[in-house]
Amino acid sequence: MEQTTSEKILDIAQSLVVAGGYNGFSYADISDAVGIRKASIHHHFPTKAELVQVLVDRYTQRAESGLKSLREHVPGPVEQLQAYLNYWQKCILDASEPFCVCAMLAAEIQMLPEPVAAHVRRHFENLAAWLTSVLKAGVEQKLFRLARSPEEEAQILMASVHGAMLSARALGDPNLFAAIVGPQIAKLRA
Amino acid sequence: MEQTTSEKILDIAQSLVVAGGYNGFSYADISDAVGIRKASIHHHFPTKAELVQVLVDRYTQRAESGLKSLREHVPGPVEQLQAYLNYWQKCILDASEPFCVCAMLAAEIQMLPEPVAAHVRRHFENLAAWLTSVLKAGVEQKLFRLARSPEEEAQILMASVHGAMLSARALGDPNLFAAIVGPQIAKLRA
DNA sequence: ATTAAACTACCTACTAGTAGGAAGATACAA
DNA sequence: TTGTATCTTCCTACTAGTAGGTAGTTTAAT
């Protein structure tokens, strides 16, 4: 076996959350997709809240280590930012992950179990912090010229990314993501 | 009577959709809030799909006439744009409508009944068209200087608005909306 | 012998939706 | 003006199906 049942469950659950949010899927849906009985899923994840909590935790950890390795292995701030956006562009174009799990859950954050909501909030904070640090580095190297503080520009950029995902989804046009986000980074260049 | 039962149902349903999306509420929730039996709601709206369809239709019509009257009654393009953003800023700050109904539904558009999805899509198109026409007028009057075409800048602006709503909600900070969207219009000024 | 992981079978609560009837208002003809 | 038919709105009572979750058992590997 190359993938544990728990991982299969989490993968399926994640794609279901991306498609329809917290209330958009059931244990029965996972059961069908994984090929396991409903009760067996409860063996791995006693409650739905716990399942989604683990799912979001895994997601944020992966995101954080992914962003960290971009900062370490990609040469300059401009390229780091571009690599981040390329990642999403690819995910959206090939429909492998057409929406951010945390963005989806953020929309319904009022209805989420508190621990899940807290994880979602933290992902937004982490992403904003990462963008801020990349922008700061870019300013120091005179690669970016910002109209506002790095913190503000990071918030603007993050909002653009999420908004672009939403527009691409709403209008059924995957290319819209790059069309929206591309010009936004161009505007930051010195 | 100053508000019909149907309108009450639609109002409640709308606030429930804004809070938790299509799958985030039930007829029982509406029943509790309106003070009417579940079956009576089915008298006014036979199915949930029809209810949400009417709800979205009402929403898009109101939005369209609201935007239209902004163009007619507010002096210049800059002020029209600002008035649109002020409207949302107010809705978010006083929590009267902390998220756009169609943005919420767009996130789960894959799971929506087709007629509802079509209405949501059209709202995005209408809003983009309105923003485009405002930007065009602003360029003609030399009030805006755009880096890209009005169509592209309109898409960017719309995405910023939706992304800003999401960030404000995710981070629980209503002021974040204006902090994100404000600088975006400033950048368009000539 | 233990333990993890799967199963069958079930529970309660809730889902959207239906059937049929009661109360009241409106219309209209005798 | 009364009787009656109709329409609207809401009700009680119900259905079939699905939700998340539990109890107890089998299977199989350690």
Side-chain angles (χ1 to χ4, degrees), chain B residues 13-166:
Chain B
Q14 179 166 320
S15 70
L16 290 170
V17 167
V18 167
Y22 188 86
N23 293 308
F25 76 101
S26 72
Y27 270 42
D29 296 326
I30 299 173
S31 168
D32 290 343
V34 177
I36 197 183
R37 297 287 143 174
K38 232 182 42 169
S40 306
I41 301 168
H42 282 284
H43 168 72
H44 295 277
F45 304 99
T47 69
K48 191 181 182 181
E50 284 177 71
L51 166 60
V52 176
Q53 205 177 325
V54 172
L55 183 160
V56 173
D57 198 41
R58 188 184 71 150
Y59 184 83
T60 55
Q61 279 181 346
R62 281 181 182 178
E64 226 172 322
S65 79
L67 291 174
K68 196 177 155 199
S69 81
L70 276 190
R71 291 235 57 187
E72 286 165 359
H73 303 315
V74 173
V78 179
E79 291 77 14
Q80 287 163 9
L81 206 52
Q82 192 60 55
Y84 165 66
L85 300 174
N86 285 346
Y87 166 79
W88 274 112
Q89 195 178 350
K90 190 195 123 299
C91 287
I92 293 169
L93 282 176
D94 70 10
S96 60
E97 193 194 335
F99 214 83
C100 169
V101 169
C102 287
M104 193 72 196
L105 292 173
E108 34 186 17
I109 202 161
Q110 300 183 1
M111 326 271 297
L112 298 181
E114 228 308 295
V116 177
H119 276 75
V120 169
R121 223 171 293 135
R122 238 201 38 195
H123 179 257
F124 272 71
E125 290 161 358
N126 289 339
L127 180 53
W130 185 85
L131 290 169
T132 301
S133 81
V134 172
L135 290 177
K136 272 183 181 164
V139 169
E140 276 168 24
Q141 298 174 232
K142 302 201 188 301
L143 298 167
F144 292 135
R145 182 168 37 228
L146 309 183
R148 308 273 164 159
S149 73
E151 285 79 10
E152 280 183 283
E153 293 287 354
Q155 289 289 351
I156 291 170
L157 201 48
M158 183 169 75
S160 289
V161 168
H162 292 145
M165 282 175 189
L166 194 68

Side-chain angles (χ1 to χ4, degrees), chain A residues 5 35-37 39-40 43-44:
Chain A
T5 303
I36 197 182
R37 297 288 144 177
S40 307
H43 169 72
H44 296 278

Side-chain angles (χ1 to χ4, degrees), chain A residues 3-190:
Chain A
Q3 194 188 25
T4 69
T5 303
S6 293
E7 281 168 345
K8 275 190 219 166
I9 294 170
L10 287 170
D11 285 351
I12 293 291
Q14 178 165 321
S15 70
L16 290 170
V17 166
V18 167
Y22 188 86
N23 293 307
F25 76 100
S26 72
Y27 269 44
D29 296 327
I30 300 173
S31 168
D32 290 343
V34 177
I36 197 182
R37 297 288 144 177
K38 232 181 43 170
S40 307
I41 301 168
H42 283 284
H43 169 72
H44 296 278
F45 304 98
T47 69
K48 191 181 184 182
E50 285 177 71
L51 166 59
V52 176
Q53 204 177 325
V54 172
L55 183 161
V56 173
D57 198 42
R58 188 184 70 150
Y59 184 83
T60 55
Q61 278 181 346
R62 281 181 182 179
E64 226 172 323
S65 79
L67 292 174
K68 195 176 155 200
S69 80
L70 276 190
R71 290 235 59 186
E72 285 166 0
H73 303 315
V74 173
V78 179
E79 290 77 14
Q80 287 162 9
L81 205 53
Q82 193 61 55
Y84 165 67
L85 299 174
N86 286 346
Y87 166 78
W88 274 112
Q89 194 178 352
K90 190 197 124 299
C91 287
I92 293 170
L93 282 175
D94 69 11
S96 61
E97 193 194 333
F99 214 85
C100 170
V101 169
C102 288
M104 194 72 196
L105 292 174
E108 34 185 18
I109 202 160
Q110 300 182 359
M111 325 270 296
L112 298 181
E114 228 308 297
V116 178
H119 276 75
V120 170
R121 223 170 293 135
R122 237 201 38 194
H123 178 258
F124 271 71
E125 290 162 357
N126 289 339
L127 179 52
W130 185 84
L131 290 169
T132 301
S133 80
V134 172
L135 291 178
K136 271 183 181 164
V139 169
E140 276 168 25
Q141 298 173 232
K142 303 202 188 300
L143 298 165
F144 291 135
R145 181 168 39 229
L146 309 183
R148 307 274 164 159
S149 73
E151 285 79 8
E152 280 183 284
E153 292 287 353
Q155 289 289 351
I156 290 169
L157 201 49
M158 183 169 74
S160 289
V161 167
H162 293 145
M165 282 176 190
L166 193 69
S167 290
R169 170 165 276 196
L171 296 170
D173 178 8
N175 292 305
L176 199 49
F177 176 77
I180 290 169
V181 174
Q184 285 292 83
I185 43 165
K187 288 177 185 175
L188 301 173
R189 300 295 295 273

Side-chain angles (χ1 to χ4, degrees), chain B residues 1-8:
Chain B
M1 196 193 293
E2 49 179 32
Q3 193 188 26
T4 68
T5 303
S6 293
E7 280 166 348
K8 275 189 222 165

